[in-house]
Amino acid sequence: MSVSPDTNHGARTAAAVEFDGTWYRLRAASVSELLLDPQWRDRATTAAGRTEPLPHPEFATVVPSPGKIFCCGLNYSEHIRETGRAIPEYPTLFAKFADTLCGPEADILLTGDSTRVDWEAELAVVIGATIYRGDEAEASRAIAGYTVANDVSMRDWQHRTLQWLQGKAFDASTPLGPVLVTADAVDPAAGLDITCQVNGVTVQHGNTATLVFSAAALVSYISQFSTLRPGDVVLTGTPGGVGMAMQPPQFLTEGDVLTTTIEGIGTMTNRIRIAEPARV
Amino acid sequence: MSVSPDTNHGARTAAAVEFDGTWYRLRAASVSELLLDPQWRDRATTAAGRTEPLPHPEFATVVPSPGKIFCCGLNYSEHIRETGRAIPEYPTLFAKFADTLCGPEADILLTGDSTRVDWEAELAVVIGATIYRGDEAEASRAIAGYTVANDVSMRDWQHRTLQWLQGKAFDASTPLGPVLVTADAVDPAAGLDITCQVNGVTVQHGNTATLVFSAAALVSYISQFSTLRPGDVVLTGTPGGVGMAMQPPQFLTEGDVLTTTIEGIGTMTNRIRIAEPARV
């Protein structure tokens, strides 16, 4: 099952579900709101939950209002090996905010004078049930499903200090979508191709089977210290091929088109726009 | 003016204001809710906004639901000098979540098998108006006021990886309160003593006049990439005297009482409790 918000209702959004190739509006303003209902699966999968069909849905940020977004750093074994590092014992975690997200077709409007804007295609996990101090089996059950993210990173800001947050939390810089594919319909551990293209040229190509910390392992680990709730998001890290590691380094500039795809989930297409200079 | 939530209404909280030594209930469930009203100052300061007096207020987390909590690392010049480092060009920033906060009199119940639980007394800034890409003058006007925080840190988790978040974001580990003193009533740049005591022994003693990045400078800097909104919180860093820097290092254990005070704002008293072991 795939669920997604659409923006086909004026300025408002609605949650929607795809069924036999057609999208249907659900009675919730967003997937975030839908997931707050413990009966969200039933609401999305029964004919009674669906309202009118949406012939031309536009896709908004798949979960617009997570209370928590955890992101994992280096997490693809192929990429770790190519950098010569050891497989880590613990996941490297940092945060984003709800305001950091944007839609899967949105322009990414960048402020802050960054000249080192980089891409990071990532599998994103969406939480469907509250979990605190759960083991991996409980974590698996707490996962609503999966979507696509691009952890667009301002490397200059990221490396101004030892803590990455300021290069990772620019408003509306992390596209998330286009749809949430529920955990019964897709299994990242079995291996999903993940790719990132810049202006049609493939720059990243990995597979989720090589994640060091699986989706369930990350959710369980985080839940040891922090409660995860419906609509929260965990980004699972990016495979090799980021721009700063290229020789010479390559970064995104005005007008570049970023295409992020995960097999069995979908594709996001985002254009980079550079805003006027920062004021301080 | 001081405003604060109190828990004197059964399980619910209410915003309250102190006036001539008496606390009065306001028509808002929390200070977070109060600050969403652009007229919050009028509501808090006019007799029409105040309802019944509260003879025995209990103080809850002063803003319970910030959408963003930014924290600044090393930010006291005396402390930086004693570590032999250079004054930084940019603030080191990391995040917490609303769930990370707890009340100024709450027990701090720690999970996760940490054996290196440390203290960090901090001045906290509460945002009172939306700001995006503002200069320092605009940032000053966007500050509702100040409160006290203790950025209780699990040093073992903090240093498992290069990113500090996992040692800084344990649920209900960061007390915030007891009151919000509005910016017209207190000026950290003029110098406020800040102290931390463990079981009555002073372990940290600094002064907010020695902050490298002032409250307004931090708010302006963060706003260059991230919108700050009413009720958001910025923690400004801790002075010297943390436990991990002692010879030998000293950490908090079951039953320890942590007392955090900022001159002109107030005192928080929190008891440390250690929960059962982690499950993974």
Side-chain angles (χ1 to χ4, degrees), chain A residues 53 64 80 101 125 149 181 203 213 244 266:
Chain A
I80 296 169
L101 303 178
V125 179
V181 179
V203 288
F213 301 101
M244 72 170 172

Side-chain angles (χ1 to χ4, degrees), chain B residues 176-199:
Chain B
L176 188 76
V179 300
L180 171 69
V181 179
T182 50
D184 58 294
V186 68
D187 179 13
L192 306 173
D193 267 354
I194 175 169
T195 60
C196 182
Q197 294 184 318
V198 177
N199 301 326

Side-chain angles (χ1 to χ4, degrees), chain A residues 1 9 28 38 54 56-57 68 74 79 92 103 121 132 136 141 150 198-199 203 208 210-211 224 233 261 263:
Chain A
M1 176 176 73
H9 294 77
L54 297 164
H56 303 292
K68 298 193 182 102
L74 225 56
H79 179 49
T92 299
Y132 183 58
E136 285 196 29
R141 291 193 294 274
N150 200 308
V198 177
N199 301 327
V203 288
T208 58
T210 68
L211 282 169
Q224 299 311 304
V233 174
T261 301
E263 178 188 4

Side-chain angles (χ1 to χ4, degrees), chain A residues 174-186:
Chain A
T174 301
L176 189 75
V179 299
L180 170 69
V181 179
T182 49
D184 58 295
V186 68

Side-chain angles (χ1 to χ4, degrees), chain A residues 109-113 157 160 166 169-171 275-280, chain B residues 131-136 138-139 216-228:
Chain A
L109 179 68
L110 294 171
T111 59
D113 296 341
W157 286 70
R160 282 182 172 182
Q166 61 193 275
F170 275 50
D171 276 3
E276 74 278 18
R279 296 178 55 183
V280 296
Chain B
I131 179 169
Y132 183 59
R133 306 187 83 195
D135 61 19
E136 285 196 29
E138 292 170 271
L218 283 173
V219 169
S220 170
Y221 184 85
I222 294 164
S223 84
Q224 300 309 307
F225 62 91
S226 175
T227 304
L228 293 172

Side-chain angles (χ1 to χ4, degrees), chain A residues 68 99 166 171 221 225 227, chain B residues 68 99 166 171 221 227:
Chain A
K68 298 193 182 102
D99 277 343
Q166 61 193 275
D171 276 3
Y221 184 85
F225 61 90
T227 305
Chain B
K68 299 194 181 100
D99 276 344
Q166 61 194 275
D171 277 2
Y221 184 85
T227 304

